[in-house]
Amino acid sequence: LRGRVLKVLREGGVQADALEEAGERLEEALLQVGHRQVSVTRTQALRDGEEVLAYTVTPGPAAVVGSLRVATDEASGLERLLSTRVGTPLVERALAADARALQHELEARGYAQAHVQVEVPEGAGPVAVVFRVREGSGIVVGSVRVDSPVDAPVGALRELRLRTGQPYRVGD
């Protein structure tokens, strides 16, 4: 971490954007190891003709994933998509990425109106993480019909991703 911060400062000097980026890297490093709140303050002073730069980093208490659950009514096998694991640091960005992965999987299964919400209590130490899934109604393609004022090329219809009897996927 120290090397990465020093590299930013060497490359950018004491310009405001380099100083800000260095502080952000310090904050991000602590967030990645489970500190849910981090304060980084920077001070600059002139000492003996040289500019002295100091960062004061104050991490809040760290949290780890104490338990992990995907609460769902219908969809199964979603746990395999999660990168978050019990016993690992609680990282908000990882939780958000896991929620997006669940959302995309549900949409691929035909739940066009699915919604995933992450529930994590405040606090430090082991915390319970719940991904609350509301699938909505599953949608299956009943039929596909293309109406066009011109004849469609023969291969164009085969390129349609929609298939009768298959789940309707939002991206199709």
Side-chain angles (χ1 to χ4, degrees):
L1 175 62
R2 179 184 170 107
R4 290 188 308 225
V5 170
L6 288 173
K7 181 181 177 189
V8 168
L9 294 173
R10 276 190 213 105
E11 291 174 359
V14 290
Q15 296 178 13
D17 56 342
L19 297 175
E20 187 69 29
E21 182 180 345
E24 289 170 1
R25 286 192 184 204
L26 290 166
E27 179 180 6
E28 185 60 31
L30 289 167
L31 292 172
Q32 291 299 316
V33 294
H35 296 277
R36 296 176 82 179
Q37 297 173 349
V38 179
S39 171
V40 178
T41 56
R42 179 183 75 229
T43 57
Q44 289 175 258
L46 209 56
R47 190 178 305 149
D48 297 328
E50 291 186 13
E51 186 152 14
V52 176
L53 174 65
Y55 287 93
T56 303
V57 181
T58 309
V64 297
V65 179
S67 65
L68 182 64
R69 185 167 66 98
V70 177
T72 176
D73 291 331
E74 299 177 28
S76 63
L78 296 173
E79 293 83 4
R80 66 179 172 74
L81 299 171
L82 301 177
S83 66
T84 302
R85 300 279 182 252
V86 172
T88 61
L90 181 72
V91 179
E92 300 289 339
R93 283 188 182 183
L95 296 178
D98 283 343
R100 284 190 302 275
L102 293 172
Q103 179 82 29
H104 292 305
E105 176 65 17
L106 291 164
E107 290 171 354
R109 292 183 184 188
Y111 296 101
Q113 299 172 346
H115 179 72
V116 178
Q117 181 177 356
V118 184
E119 297 175 0
V120 183
E122 292 296 320
V127 296
V129 176
V130 178
F131 290 89
R132 187 131 347 251
V133 174
R134 286 184 287 141
E135 294 92 346
S137 299
I139 301 171
V140 175
V141 177
S143 65
V144 179
R145 185 176 121 190
V146 177
D147 289 327
S148 175
V150 297
D151 289 336
V154 176
L157 296 179
R158 275 184 261 140
E159 290 182 29
L160 288 176
R161 292 183 183 179
L162 294 174
R163 300 282 183 259
T164 301
Q166 296 296 310
Y168 169 75
R169 292 180 287 273
V170 174
D172 288 351

